[in-house]
Amino acid sequence: MRARTLSLLLLLLAAAASSFTPSTSTDTIYRNTSLTGNQTLVSAGGIYALGFFSPAGADGRTYPGIWYASIPGPTTVVWVANRRDPVVNSPAALQLSDGGRLVILDGNNDTVWSSAVPTVGNVTAAQLLDTGNLVLSADGSGSWPSVAWQSFDYPTDTLLPGMKLGVDTRAGITRNITAWRSPSDPSPGDVTFKLVIGGLPQFFLLRGATRVYTSGPWNGDILTGVPYLKAHDFTFKLVYSPDETYYSYFIREPSLLSRLVVDGAATQLKRFSLNNGAWSSFWYYPTDQCDYYAKCGPFGYCDTDRSPPCSCLPGFVPRSPDQWSQREWSAGCVRRTNLSCDGGDGDGFWVVNRMKLPQATDATVYAGMTLDQCRQACLGNCSCGAYAAANNSGGIGVGCVIWTVDLLDMRQYPIVVQDVYIRLAQSDIDALKAAAADNHQRSHKSKLIIIIVATISGVLFLLAAVGCCCFWMKKASRKGEGEDMASSLPPSTADFALPYRVRSQPSLSPPPSRIRSQPSLSPVRDHKQLLDASEETRYYSDKDVDLPLFELEVTLAATDNFAEHKRIGAGGFGPVYGLCQANILIGKRKQLKYSSHVTRSVIDLTALHGEAVDVPTAWMLWREGRSMELLDEALGASFHHSRVLRCIQVALLCVEAQPRNRPLMSSVVTMLASDNAVLPEPNEPGVNPGMSTSSDTESSRTQNATANYVTVTRLEARSTSTGHSSL
């Protein structure tokens, strides 16, 4: 009884083993086992997973596919087994058939899809590798000799590292990548990226039968339309042989995930890399307007550094100038001069460099020719329009490719790519050489001019820098001297000084001997005081004063030592005397004090006659236009007529009867310093500044007053009812 029970248990275990379904930790399925429902295979490194999925909006259609198992979030599918034949009757199952094929069964146990006939017999296992490749093998090892079928030979819309994109003529396999029809439908869409063989191999991005973008021909080193396709993390490979032509890439860092995808919505080829758990675009094509196929038409070329980007090749002109001017370049260009086709000196070649090779699928390749032999072969064929080296690997051009068709899809880059030799009539070549020589001469002249201008500018800049240094050093020195003077003098020493205005420096050093502070200044000055004042006057006259001061000796002579009979009136600051040629104010006042601000101003009045002239007489001569009669004959011609009249006018304004009609000291400075200042017409003066007139004529001249008035004065205010000190 016990033996019978044990036998029954063994039979049940055997039955269970025969119907074993792999768990998520399994990367292989064997014969007579299946994958169904939400069960998955996971590669040994946990990078990829194989299972069933249904895209959003797929209405229950089910597909077995491969996706990234290590990336959280939305599923990124990289391969679909039955993209043309979805399972519509669930549940679906994936298993190995007795014939060694991978098959998909629907809920009715009908075969929906099966893999191709294996190339190796007795297939026993299907294994998902860490490369993302699902392989069928005879021994279950996944090693290449035992592989009977692999998913890498049948890509969908994604090219993974290690996959081949191209044509295997020996096995009869063409490997393209084609976009999904829509996000909910993985069936093949309209956009395909494929290799076209013939001539030089190159890849095309197609929408239907329309060529959208091409990688440019392979020249043994690079795809000439992708000169920047070099990266530190990637290794690119293109095999070009009679048996097989394909492109592939590999990643140096195994932990880096990358995929090349055809985007049907954008009609672009995109490479993505996983960074910080999210996919980022590494590059994409087409990138710019020059990437689009044959942008500039036959015999035209594109350059993004030009505006407009399209140009005709040398020796060619637009086929339709009107369309060309409207930025419609598809018609391309035609020869300026027809070829002679005499096989001799009637034709030649003009080289254009840094070029993406013209479309070369229809070109003729001669692997054993040198470039000189290629030149002769092209001249011997009247249909030949250009030639180039077929293989530039190692930086040395070998072999030959000849174009006997229109030159299409050319582009010029800012970096070295490849030279193309364009066949032209010799007359066009001669014209191009002459133009090139002229441009070279102009460029040489331009460089010479730039060098000369740069040299002169450098010298001038150096001189200006030296001048500025000297200026600031001198200014700093003077400023230091002024500060030393201000700090060393007691406040009382600045109580007496003649007003002046320095042209450029804000402060000056004191004269060698400065006059002492005086409590008052009488009409008859102490002679020593006057000599000291004269010394100070001469000192400031030597310090670049804008309006130089007159010598004291002349001032004493002109005023008869400030005699009473020389006084012409009285202003707000004290008695006013005759004035001398040097435009210096001669005035006195009991306990006269000048602030440091006033010493920065120069008050111009006018020179008077040597004899005593009263104010009414001066007013009368002004009214009659005979003011020049006020001048002393001793002055001769050493004066400016307009300045004298201006000084007389200002003097009369300063002795008006009404104090509020007299200009402020700051206004007087403005009136005398500017020849363009508009002065008001003076009113009849009063002999005594304290007397008033019955009519206030202030308003009569306000319309003509200068706009440069300021209401700041630091003169000592007199005892009047006005709010500020006036002349």
Side-chain angles (χ1 to χ4, degrees):
M1 182 66 181
R2 180 177 297 177
R4 184 179 298 177
T5 303
L6 182 59
S7 299
L8 181 60
L9 180 60
L10 291 175
L11 289 174
L12 291 174
L13 290 174
S18 65
S19 60
F20 170 73
T21 300
S23 65
T24 56
S25 60
T26 303
D27 63 356
T28 306
I29 57 175
Y30 300 93
R31 281 193 180 184
N32 300 319
T33 62
S34 63
L35 188 73
T36 185
N38 60 356
Q39 298 172 340
T40 59
L41 296 181
V42 178
S43 65
I47 300 174
Y48 294 97
L50 170 66
F52 288 94
F53 74 98
S54 181
D59 297 331
R61 296 189 301 271
T62 303
Y63 306 86
I66 299 173
W67 60 84
Y68 290 97
S70 58
I71 302 176
T75 301
T76 303
V77 178
V78 298
W79 182 78
V80 181
N82 58 330
R83 63 185 311 192
R84 297 178 183 271
D85 304 298
V87 176
V88 294
N89 296 321
S90 297
L94 179 67
Q95 64 184 26
L96 281 174
S97 67
D98 292 337
R101 293 190 181 192
L102 193 65
V103 297
I104 300 174
L105 304 176
D106 63 9
N108 298 326
N109 207 32
D110 293 330
T111 301
V112 176
W113 172 88
S114 65
S115 62
V117 176
T119 57
V120 178
N122 195 25
V123 174
T124 60
Q127 184 181 14
L128 179 63
L129 306 179
D130 276 336
T131 60
N133 192 12
L134 178 64
V135 297
L136 305 184
S137 61
D139 57 6
S141 65
S143 60
W144 182 249
S146 66
V147 172
W149 178 93
Q150 60 178 349
S151 62
F152 270 19
D153 285 337
Y154 305 93
T156 53
D157 68 329
T158 302
L159 191 72
L160 295 176
M163 292 180 74
K164 297 178 180 180
L165 186 68
V167 177
D168 187 341
T169 55
R170 183 177 50 189
I173 299 174
T174 299
R175 306 180 186 97
N176 306 326
I177 52 176
T178 303
W180 287 22
R181 184 165 298 278
S182 70
S184 61
D185 185 1
S187 64
D190 295 331
V191 181
T192 301
F193 187 62
K194 62 184 295 186
L195 172 69
V196 177
I197 58 175
L200 293 178
Q202 63 187 102
F203 295 88
F204 288 86
L205 183 66
L206 308 172
R207 178 173 284 279
T210 303
R211 293 174 173 176
V212 178
Y213 161 78
T214 174
S215 65
W218 174 255
N219 69 353
D221 182 38
I222 60 172
L223 293 167
T224 59
V226 197
Y228 306 104
L229 191 60
K230 294 182 179 180
H232 175 73
D233 297 323
F234 297 89
T235 299
F236 303 98
K237 179 181 180 181
L238 195 143
V239 174
Y240 178 35
S241 69
D243 293 335
E244 189 176 21
T245 301
Y246 66 88
Y247 161 82
S248 185
Y249 72 98
F250 302 89
I251 299 177
R252 293 189 176 95
E253 176 54 52
S255 62
L256 178 64
L257 299 182
S258 177
R259 57 195 177 98
L260 183 67
V261 180
V262 175
D263 187 338
T267 316
Q268 286 182 325
L269 183 70
K270 297 181 177 180
R271 183 180 299 283
F272 293 95
S273 294
L274 189 69
N275 293 316
N276 298 323
W279 292 107
S280 61
S281 178
F282 186 73
W283 54 251
Y284 60 89
Y285 288 95
T287 302
D288 53 51
Q289 58 183 333
C290 288
D291 274 339
Y292 287 91
Y293 177 75
K295 176 72 175 180
C296 301
F299 302 104
Y301 71 96
C302 194
D303 186 349
T304 56
D305 290 336
R306 292 175 176 266
S307 181
C310 284
S311 302
C312 289
L313 290 170
F316 290 78
V317 294
R319 181 182 298 274
S320 175
D322 291 339
Q323 292 182 3
W324 199 271
S325 63
Q326 297 173 9
R327 307 177 75 89
E328 171 53 56
W329 302 297
S330 59
C333 307
V334 295
R335 293 186 179 276
R336 187 187 304 273
T337 306
N338 291 329
L339 299 176
S340 64
C341 289
D342 58 3
D345 297 334
D347 298 332
F349 294 90
W350 187 262
V351 61
V352 290
N353 50 31
R354 298 181 284 115
M355 300 300 292
K356 173 184 180 180
L357 291 180
Q359 177 190 326
T361 54
D362 297 326
T364 304
V365 177
Y366 300 96
M369 279 190 179
T370 65
L371 283 181
D372 287 339
Q373 292 171 335
C374 195
R375 171 189 174 92
Q376 296 303 320
C378 188
L379 287 174
N381 184 348
C382 193
S383 299
C384 177
Y387 73 92
N391 191 330
N392 271 358
S393 60
I396 301 175
V398 296
C400 171
V401 55
I402 290 177
W403 284 269
T404 58
V405 295
D406 290 349
L407 304 183
L408 292 171
D409 196 48
M410 297 185 71
R411 174 176 181 170
Q412 191 167 49
Y413 290 96
I415 63 173
V416 176
V417 181
Q418 189 161 346
D419 295 340
V420 180
Y421 298 86
I422 309 297
R423 184 177 181 179
L424 298 175
Q426 189 60 46
S427 59
D428 288 340
I429 293 175
D430 294 338
L432 290 171
K433 288 181 178 179
D438 184 58
N439 290 336
H440 177 74
Q441 185 176 7
R442 291 182 181 180
S443 175
H444 179 72
K445 290 182 179 179
S446 300
K447 291 180 180 178
L448 184 61
I449 292 174
I450 291 173
I451 293 173
I452 294 174
V453 171
T455 302
I456 295 175
S457 300
V459 172
L460 292 177
F461 176 79
L462 181 61
L463 292 176
V466 173
C468 288
C469 290
C470 294
F471 171 78
W472 287 112
M473 290 174 64
K474 184 177 180 181
K475 181 176 180 181
S477 176
R478 289 185 175 180
K479 182 177 181 181
E481 293 174 0
E483 292 175 351
D484 293 342
M485 176 193 72
S487 62
S488 61
L489 293 177
S492 60
T493 59
D495 289 344
F496 177 82
L498 293 177
Y500 71 100
R501 177 165 61 91
V502 179
R503 176 176 299 144
S504 59
Q505 300 298 334
S507 61
L508 296 175
S509 301
S513 61
R514 190 173 180 87
I515 64 173
R516 296 184 301 273
S517 174
Q518 301 296 330
S520 64
L521 184 63
S522 62
V524 181
R525 297 188 176 189
D526 179 82
H527 191 65
K528 185 176 186 304
Q529 296 178 15
L530 295 177
L531 291 178
D532 289 342
S534 177
E535 181 184 0
E536 182 177 24
T537 299
R538 285 192 298 271
Y539 174 79
Y540 285 117
S541 297
D542 294 337
K543 291 295 183 179
D544 194 24
V545 177
D546 203 18
L547 294 173
L549 305 179
F550 201 80
E551 295 293 338
L552 179 60
E553 291 81 357
V554 180
T555 304
L556 293 174
T559 61
D560 197 9
N561 201 21
F562 296 102
E564 189 69 23
H565 66 278
K566 286 289 187 176
R567 191 175 75 171
I568 64 173
F573 53 85
V576 179
Y577 292 87
L579 302 157
C580 54
Q581 175 194 9
N583 303 326
I584 197 169
L585 169 64
I586 308 301
K588 78 151 203 167
R589 176 182 179 173
K590 291 181 179 181
Q591 298 180 349
L592 181 63
K593 292 184 179 180
Y594 293 88
S595 68
S596 60
H597 174 75
V598 175
T599 63
R600 302 296 179 95
S601 304
V602 176
I603 302 179
D604 286 342
L605 292 179
T606 183
L608 295 179
H609 197 275
E611 301 297 331
V613 180
D614 56 12
V615 173
T617 302
W619 166 255
M620 179 190 68
L621 293 175
W622 170 266
R623 296 284 293 180
E624 295 176 357
R626 297 186 294 125
S627 296
M628 299 303 293
E629 296 179 10
L630 294 171
L631 296 181
D632 194 328
E633 295 179 356
L635 296 176
S638 60
F639 59 86
H640 294 280
H641 186 276
S642 61
R643 294 182 182 177
V644 169
L645 291 179
R646 177 174 290 271
C647 290
I648 295 173
Q649 186 175 357
V650 173
L652 291 173
L653 290 172
C654 292
V655 295
E656 287 198 11
Q658 291 294 329
R660 61 181 177 179
N661 287 350
R662 301 168 193 161
L664 302 176
M665 287 294 295
S666 56
S667 299
V668 170
V669 173
T670 302
M671 293 176 183
L672 296 175
S674 174
D675 293 336
N676 297 322
V678 179
L679 305 185
E681 191 69 22
N683 295 308
E684 184 174 358
V687 176
N688 190 333
M691 62 185 292
S692 60
T693 60
S694 59
S695 62
D696 184 5
T697 58
E698 179 184 17
S699 61
S700 65
R701 67 163 181 265
T702 56
Q703 298 298 325
N704 295 324
T706 175
N708 294 324
Y709 286 153
V710 291
T711 59
V712 178
T713 179
R714 295 181 63 181
L715 290 174
E716 182 180 294
R718 70 178 192 278
S719 300
T720 64
S721 60
T722 58
H724 54 266
S725 176
S726 302
L727 290 176

